[in-house]
Amino acid sequence: MVLSKAAPHSDVSVHSTFASRYVRAPLPRFRMPEESIPKEAAYQIINDELMLDGNPRLNLASFVTTWMEPECDKLIMSSINKNYVDMDEYPVTTELQNRCVNMIAHLFNAPLEESETAIGCGTVGSSEAIMLAGLAFKRKWQNKRRAAGLPIDKPNIVTGANVQVCWEKFARYFEVELKEVNLRDGYYVMDPEKAAELVDENTICVAAILGSTLNGEFEDVKRLNDLLVEKNKETGWDTPIHVDAASGGFIAPFIYPDLEWDFRLPLVKSINVSGHKYGLVYAGIGWVIWRSKEDLPDELIFHINYLGADQPTFTLNFSKGSSQVIAQYYQLIRLGYEGYKNVMENCRDNMLVLKEGLEKTGRFNIVSKEEGVPLVAFTLKDNSHFDEFQVSHLLRRYGWIVPAYTMPPDAQHVTVLRVVIREDFSRTLAERIVIDIQKVLHELDALPVRVAEAATVAVSSEDIGGDGATENIAKKTALETTREITNAWKKFVMDRKKMNGKINGVC
Amino acid sequence: MVIASATRDPEAGETLSCTFASRYVRDPVPKFKMPVRSIPKDAAYQIIKDELMLDGAPRLNLASFVTTWMEPECDKLIMDSLNKNYVDMDEYPVTTELQNRCVNMIAHLYHAPIEDDEGAVGVGTVGSSEAIMLAGLAFKRKWQTKRKAEGKPYDNPNIVTGANVQVCWEKFARYFEVELKEVKLSEGYYVMDPVKAVEMVDENTICVAAILGSTLTGEFEDVQLLNELLTKKNKESGWDTPIHVDAASGGFIAPFLYPDLEWDFRVPLVKSINVSGHKYGLVYPGVGWVVWRSKEDLPEDLVFHINYLGSDQPTFTLNFSKGSSQIIAQYYQFIRLGFEGYQNIMRNCVENAKILKEGIEKTGRFNIVSKDVGVPLVAFSLKDSSEHTVFEISDHLRRFGWIVPAYTMPADAQHIVVLRVVIREDFSRSLAERLVSDIEKVVNLLDTLPSTVHASTTSAHVTAVTNETGDKVVKKSAMETQAEIARYWRGLVKDKRTGVC
C-alpha cells in the first residue's frame, strides 16, 4: 500500500479566495506588504471593503453624474490607458476635445465667426476651470495696472457668500482677496446691487453663480451686467464678469433658453461648467470657455507644436485619462440638443413631484425656487422637537443620503435639507423618498420632546455612606442621560456641519 | 386580389438597421455645434469608436512613461468605481481611507521620519503637475512667512532647477509668479549640476528642485551631493533653503532597484517629494502623490479642514471633484504586488532595457546617451547625422507601428538630438527584439534613400529654367524641395517640449 503524502504547499491558485489565507491575514495599511498576492485575492479584498462605501446612485447630496449608458462605459474602458495630454500620439482624442469646446462655446453664444475656433479647454473639474479663469483675470488686470503705473499687489474678487469652496481655494492659493457679499434670510444668493458696491479698482472680476450650491438658484447675471456697465462708465475700471455655471451651464440653455446669462451679456468674459454635473459625464471633467482671444493673456499659454499645427495648452494638470473627454463627446452627439432638453425636463418634472410630495406632508417649507437647478431644498416648519440633522441621519437607515446644511453668513440660523435631482433619479424614486421621509417624521415624532434649557436634574436622597446620614445627590434619570447624549451628539454634528458649511464636498 | 402595400415604419427601420446600414454613418459628424437631434446609442458608440481607431496605439507609444496596461481584475475595480466622486469623504469613507493608506505606504517607502501611529502628511493628486504645484505652493508660503517675520521683502521668490526640468515646473513658475532659475546643461552632462545649482541659490530661493529620473535621459540627479553643498551654504548664509525631489518617474524605481541610493527623506534637507502613480506606480493616467516630511513643512493656512465624523480630514488639492478609480487602482497595485512584485517588475524593465540597448549598439550606428542607472529607458543618437537625422528614423518607425520620439536637448546642448524608448512594465523582451530588428530595417532603408540634409543652410541650389514664354523661372530640384520640407518640419519639432513624461 502506498501512503500518499499530502503536498505541504498546495497550489494557491486552486483555493477559492475565501478559502485562502489572504482573507485571514491583516490588511496592509501603513506599509507596503513585502510579498505579492494573487490578483483574485487583491480584487476581492478591495471589492469587499468598498461595499461599505455609500451607494453612489442613492447619494442625493451630489450633483455629479452617477450613471451612464453601457455603450459609453465601453468607450471609457477602452480609452482608460490613453494619456490625454499626448496630442501627438492621440490626435483624434485631441480633436474630440476641441469639438467639445466649440460645441459648448456655441451653446453659450460665444461671439464666434463661422469658421473661428473657440477659446477654451477641458479640465479635471470646475475647480481647475475656475483657477484658470481667475488666473487669466488676474494677469489681465496686472498688465493693465502695470501699464498705467498703478500698484498690483492687492487684487481682489467679488462673489457671494454662497460661493463654492473652490473660489476660496483660488483666492488663498493665488493670493487674491475674496470679498464676499453676505446673504440674508430669504435671499440666499449674491445681491447684484451689493456686489457692484463692493467693486473697487483692485477688483479683477465679479463672479456670479448660475446654480447656487445651496438652493439651486440662478443669480441675476443680467442685472449684475447692467449695474456693472454703469459703474464701469463712471469709474473707468473695466471690471469684467465671470459666470460660474458649474451646475447651471448645462441646464439653462435647454430649459430656459431666453434667460440671458452667457456671452450674450457683454461683460461676461469667461464661463466654466462642470461636464460631470449636468453635462452627464462621470466625475473628472469640466470646461472653461473664454469670450475671445483677448480675454486669455497669451503669456499664460504654453505652445506645443503638433506637426505643423499650433496646439496652445493652458491647464494646471498635465497627464490624465482621456476617458471623460471622450464620454463628454459621446453625450453631446448621442443626446444632442433635444436629448439634453428631454433629460433636463424630466429632472424638473421629478423635482416638482418631490416638491409637491414634501409640501403635502405639511411639515416643510420649500427654500429652493422652481427656476434653477432641479433640486429641492427644504426646512422643517417646526424644529423645536427635532431638527434637520436628525431627519438626515434617520434617512440614511433607509439607504438615502440626504445632506443637511446650515446657510453661510448672514443666514447661519437656517438649516436646510437638500435633494438633488439627477438624470437617474426617476419618478418612482421620488415617490419612494417621500414615503420614507414620512416614515422618518413619524419616528421622530415619537421621540420625547427635547428640553431647550439645561436638563432638569432630579434630586434624590440616598444613604450612600452607610452611616445613616442621608445626602442629597443629583441623580439623572435615564431619560435625561439619553437626552444629554443626544444633545451632545447633535451639537457635535451641527458643529461639524457648520465647519463643513460649503466644504460639504458635493457640489 | 389584395395588393399589399408595404408600409415602411421609419422608426422600426432605424432600430432594425445595423449601424452601418443606417443614415447615421452618412451624416456629417458634428464638430462645432451640438447636433439638434439625438441619435441611437449604438450609432454614437460606433461613430466615436471608429474615429478613435486612428489614434496611436497606447501600448506601442514608446514615448510615454505613463502606464498603458493593468490586470483585468483591476479594470473591474476601476469600472465599479467610475461613478464615485473621490472628494465625497462623507459618503465614500472607505475610498478616502484607501487614499490615506496609499499616502502612508508611500511615505514609509521614502523613509519619512514618522512614528508608527503617526499619520503621514501627503495627498493624492491628478498627476505630478498638481503635486508639484502643491509642493511649490507650500515652499512659497513658508518662505513668505519667514521673510515677513524678518521684515524683508517677499515679492521676488525664485526656484532653482536644471534646464532638463519638465514643463510643469515652468507652469508652476508662471502661474504662481515665481522666477525660474535654470542651471544650463552641457554636452555629455544632461542633468542639473549640484555645484552650479547651489551657486545660483540666493535669499529669494524658495527651494531647489532635483529630479530623480530626468525626462530626457532617465538619469537620477545626485541629491546627496546637492544636500551636502546646500547644507554648507545654508550654514554660511543663514538662509534655510530646502530641497524638493521631483521623483515623478524615479520614485517607484529607486526604492526597489537601488535601495541604498539616498535621495529621499533620509537626506535631511529634502522636505517634500512627488511621484507619479501613473508612471512606474503602474496605474492608468490620472494619479500622482505628494508627501511632505512632516507637519511643519506644510503651512496650515493652505489646508482646508473637513471633519469626518470625529477625525479631522485635512485637504489640500487644486482639483476637487474627480473620479476615485485611479486611487483604488493604486491601492490594488500596492497590495497585489507588494514590495517583491514591484521589484520584480522593475528588474524586468532593466533587463529588457539592456537587451534593447545592446541590440541598438550592435547596429554600430548609434551612440547610447542614457545611463544604466536610472529610469529604464534607452536614449540614443546617430553617430553620423550628415545624411539622415533621427527625425527621419522616428518618422519611418511610425510606419511599422512604433511611436519613438526624437527630441533636441534643452540649452546649452541644443545640438544634441536623441531618440528615446521608454521601457514600461508591458514592454516584453519579444517586443524589444522586434523593435531592434525594425530599427535595423529603417537604417538600411535610409541608406538607400538620398540624403535630405545639406551641409550648408544658405541658399539652396536653384536651377533656372525657361518656360514657354521665355521667362526664367526658378525651379527647385526635387531634392531641394525635400530638404526644405525636412528643415521646415524639423524646425517645428525642434522646440517641442517633450509632452509625455
Side-chain angles (χ1 to χ4, degrees), chain A residues 478-495:
Chain A
L479 194 56
E480 269 134 16
T481 319
T482 313
R483 245 181 263 147
E484 211 174 86
I485 294 171
T486 312
N487 279 344
W489 170 80
K490 222 191 308 166
K491 178 174 183 307
F492 172 74
V493 174
M494 185 109 85
D495 286 340

mmCIF file of all heavy atoms in Angstrom, chain A residues 478-495:
data_model
loop_
_atom_site.group_PDB
_atom_site.id
_atom_site.type_symbol
_atom_site.label_atom_id
_atom_site.label_comp_id
_atom_site.label_asym_id
_atom_site.label_seq_id
_atom_site.Cartn_x
_atom_site.Cartn_y
_atom_site.Cartn_z
ATOM 1 N N ALA A 478 -32.707 58.126 33.549
ATOM 2 C CA ALA A 478 -32.235 57.520 32.301
ATOM 3 C C ALA A 478 -32.578 58.395 31.123
ATOM 4 O O ALA A 478 -31.784 58.606 30.201
ATOM 5 C CB ALA A 478 -32.864 56.138 32.145
ATOM 6 N N LEU A 479 -33.792 58.981 31.179
ATOM 7 C CA LEU A 479 -34.242 59.834 30.083
ATOM 8 C C LEU A 479 -33.328 61.033 29.911
ATOM 9 O O LEU A 479 -32.954 61.410 28.811
ATOM 10 C CB LEU A 479 -35.673 60.295 30.373
ATOM 11 C CG LEU A 479 -36.389 60.916 29.166
ATOM 12 C CD1 LEU A 479 -36.376 59.920 28.024
ATOM 13 C CD2 LEU A 479 -37.806 61.260 29.543
ATOM 14 N N GLU A 480 -32.963 61.632 31.064
ATOM 15 C CA GLU A 480 -32.123 62.812 30.970
ATOM 16 C C GLU A 480 -30.763 62.477 30.408
ATOM 17 O O GLU A 480 -30.185 63.240 29.635
ATOM 18 C CB GLU A 480 -31.971 63.481 32.340
ATOM 19 C CG GLU A 480 -33.025 64.529 32.594
ATOM 20 C CD GLU A 480 -33.630 64.404 33.985
ATOM 21 O OE1 GLU A 480 -33.014 63.713 34.825
ATOM 22 O OE2 GLU A 480 -34.709 64.962 34.210
ATOM 23 N N THR A 481 -30.271 61.318 30.803
ATOM 24 C CA THR A 481 -28.960 60.925 30.282
ATOM 25 C C THR A 481 -29.038 60.751 28.772
ATOM 26 O O THR A 481 -28.175 61.207 28.026
ATOM 27 C CB THR A 481 -28.501 59.608 30.930
ATOM 28 O OG1 THR A 481 -28.822 59.639 32.311
ATOM 29 C CG2 THR A 481 -27.022 59.402 30.721
ATOM 30 N N THR A 482 -30.135 60.087 28.335
ATOM 31 C CA THR A 482 -30.303 59.898 26.896
ATOM 32 C C THR A 482 -30.340 61.233 26.181
ATOM 33 O O THR A 482 -29.699 61.443 25.150
ATOM 34 C CB THR A 482 -31.607 59.151 26.584
ATOM 35 O OG1 THR A 482 -31.698 58.027 27.440
ATOM 36 C CG2 THR A 482 -31.624 58.693 25.142
ATOM 37 N N ARG A 483 -31.113 62.149 26.801
ATOM 38 C CA ARG A 483 -31.238 63.469 26.186
ATOM 39 C C ARG A 483 -29.895 64.162 26.105
ATOM 40 O O ARG A 483 -29.549 64.777 25.117
ATOM 41 C CB ARG A 483 -32.191 64.321 27.027
ATOM 42 C CG ARG A 483 -33.452 64.665 26.270
ATOM 43 C CD ARG A 483 -34.365 65.515 27.084
ATOM 44 N NE ARG A 483 -35.388 64.719 27.736
ATOM 45 C CZ ARG A 483 -35.900 65.025 28.927
ATOM 46 N NH1 ARG A 483 -35.456 66.044 29.616
ATOM 47 N NH2 ARG A 483 -36.848 64.277 29.460
ATOM 48 N N GLU A 484 -29.140 64.019 27.209
ATOM 49 C CA GLU A 484 -27.829 64.677 27.227
ATOM 50 C C GLU A 484 -26.947 64.140 26.122
ATOM 51 O O GLU A 484 -26.267 64.875 25.426
ATOM 52 C CB GLU A 484 -27.178 64.428 28.596
ATOM 53 C CG GLU A 484 -26.288 65.562 29.033
ATOM 54 C CD GLU A 484 -25.810 65.304 30.452
ATOM 55 O OE1 GLU A 484 -24.788 64.599 30.605
ATOM 56 O OE2 GLU A 484 -26.474 65.776 31.376
ATOM 57 N N ILE A 485 -27.005 62.836 25.984
ATOM 58 C CA ILE A 485 -26.171 62.220 24.946
ATOM 59 C C ILE A 485 -26.622 62.683 23.568
ATOM 60 O O ILE A 485 -25.813 63.056 22.728
ATOM 61 C CB ILE A 485 -26.237 60.684 25.034
ATOM 62 C CG1 ILE A 485 -25.583 60.216 26.346
ATOM 63 C CG2 ILE A 485 -25.539 60.051 23.841
ATOM 64 C CD1 ILE A 485 -25.781 58.748 26.620
ATOM 65 N N THR A 486 -27.932 62.681 23.376
ATOM 66 C CA THR A 486 -28.449 63.106 22.078
ATOM 67 C C THR A 486 -28.064 64.547 21.782
ATOM 68 O O THR A 486 -27.642 64.875 20.679
ATOM 69 C CB THR A 486 -29.986 63.001 22.044
ATOM 70 O OG1 THR A 486 -30.352 61.740 22.550
ATOM 71 C CG2 THR A 486 -30.505 63.166 20.637
ATOM 72 N N ASN A 487 -28.209 65.405 22.818
ATOM 73 C CA ASN A 487 -27.859 66.805 22.618
ATOM 74 C C ASN A 487 -26.397 66.962 22.266
ATOM 75 O O ASN A 487 -26.023 67.725 21.377
ATOM 76 C CB ASN A 487 -28.160 67.614 23.881
ATOM 77 C CG ASN A 487 -29.628 67.975 23.953
ATOM 78 O OD1 ASN A 487 -30.332 67.882 22.952
ATOM 79 N ND2 ASN A 487 -30.083 68.374 25.125
ATOM 80 N N ALA A 488 -25.571 66.212 23.007
ATOM 81 C CA ALA A 488 -24.137 66.332 22.749
ATOM 82 C C ALA A 488 -23.833 65.909 21.318
ATOM 83 O O ALA A 488 -23.100 66.578 20.599
ATOM 84 C CB ALA A 488 -23.367 65.462 23.741
ATOM 85 N N TRP A 489 -24.414 64.825 20.937
ATOM 86 C CA TRP A 489 -24.178 64.311 19.586
ATOM 87 C C TRP A 489 -24.714 65.266 18.532
ATOM 88 O O TRP A 489 -24.076 65.546 17.533
ATOM 89 C CB TRP A 489 -24.847 62.934 19.471
ATOM 90 C CG TRP A 489 -24.881 62.405 18.106
ATOM 91 C CD1 TRP A 489 -23.880 61.791 17.449
ATOM 92 C CD2 TRP A 489 -25.991 62.461 17.212
ATOM 93 N NE1 TRP A 489 -24.292 61.416 16.201
ATOM 94 C CE2 TRP A 489 -25.588 61.828 16.024
ATOM 95 C CE3 TRP A 489 -27.293 62.968 17.283
ATOM 96 C CZ2 TRP A 489 -26.423 61.694 14.928
ATOM 97 C CZ3 TRP A 489 -28.129 62.839 16.188
ATOM 98 C CH2 TRP A 489 -27.682 62.206 15.027
ATOM 99 N N LYS A 490 -25.878 65.811 18.811
ATOM 100 C CA LYS A 490 -26.468 66.753 17.870
ATOM 101 C C LYS A 490 -25.576 67.986 17.715
ATOM 102 O O LYS A 490 -25.337 68.472 16.635
ATOM 103 C CB LYS A 490 -27.840 67.192 18.404
ATOM 104 C CG LYS A 490 -28.883 67.248 17.305
ATOM 105 C CD LYS A 490 -30.138 67.906 17.748
ATOM 106 C CE LYS A 490 -30.719 67.323 19.033
ATOM 107 N NZ LYS A 490 -31.734 68.225 19.577
ATOM 108 N N LYS A 491 -25.081 68.445 18.853
ATOM 109 C CA LYS A 491 -24.211 69.617 18.807
ATOM 110 C C LYS A 491 -22.966 69.288 17.995
ATOM 111 O O LYS A 491 -22.494 70.087 17.184
ATOM 112 C CB LYS A 491 -23.838 70.017 20.239
ATOM 113 C CG LYS A 491 -22.879 71.203 20.296
ATOM 114 C CD LYS A 491 -22.651 71.665 21.721
ATOM 115 C CE LYS A 491 -21.753 72.890 21.760
ATOM 116 N NZ LYS A 491 -20.500 72.728 21.049
ATOM 117 N N PHE A 492 -22.466 68.098 18.240
ATOM 118 C CA PHE A 492 -21.257 67.683 17.532
ATOM 119 C C PHE A 492 -21.479 67.693 16.026
ATOM 120 O O PHE A 492 -20.683 68.236 15.267
ATOM 121 C CB PHE A 492 -20.858 66.286 18.010
ATOM 122 C CG PHE A 492 -19.742 65.708 17.210
ATOM 123 C CD1 PHE A 492 -18.443 66.152 17.363
ATOM 124 C CD2 PHE A 492 -19.990 64.731 16.263
ATOM 125 C CE1 PHE A 492 -17.414 65.640 16.609
ATOM 126 C CE2 PHE A 492 -18.957 64.206 15.512
ATOM 127 C CZ PHE A 492 -17.675 64.649 15.679
ATOM 128 N N VAL A 493 -22.608 67.113 15.620
ATOM 129 C CA VAL A 493 -22.871 67.054 14.182
ATOM 130 C C VAL A 493 -23.102 68.444 13.628
ATOM 131 O O VAL A 493 -22.636 68.792 12.549
ATOM 132 C CB VAL A 493 -24.092 66.158 13.890
ATOM 133 C CG1 VAL A 493 -24.445 66.212 12.407
ATOM 134 C CG2 VAL A 493 -23.787 64.733 14.279
ATOM 135 N N MET A 494 -23.793 69.268 14.430
ATOM 136 C CA MET A 494 -24.067 70.621 13.971
ATOM 137 C C MET A 494 -22.772 71.389 13.776
ATOM 138 O O MET A 494 -22.584 72.083 12.795
ATOM 139 C CB MET A 494 -24.927 71.342 15.031
ATOM 140 C CG MET A 494 -25.368 72.714 14.604
ATOM 141 S SD MET A 494 -27.132 72.760 14.237
ATOM 142 C CE MET A 494 -27.749 73.036 15.877
ATOM 143 N N ASP A 495 -21.848 71.224 14.766
ATOM 144 C CA ASP A 495 -20.568 71.903 14.632
ATOM 145 C C ASP A 495 -19.838 71.405 13.408
ATOM 146 O O ASP A 495 -19.228 72.154 12.682
ATOM 147 C CB ASP A 495 -19.702 71.662 15.880
ATOM 148 C CG ASP A 495 -20.212 72.465 17.058
ATOM 149 O OD1 ASP A 495 -20.938 73.433 16.811
ATOM 150 O OD2 ASP A 495 -19.876 72.116 18.204
#
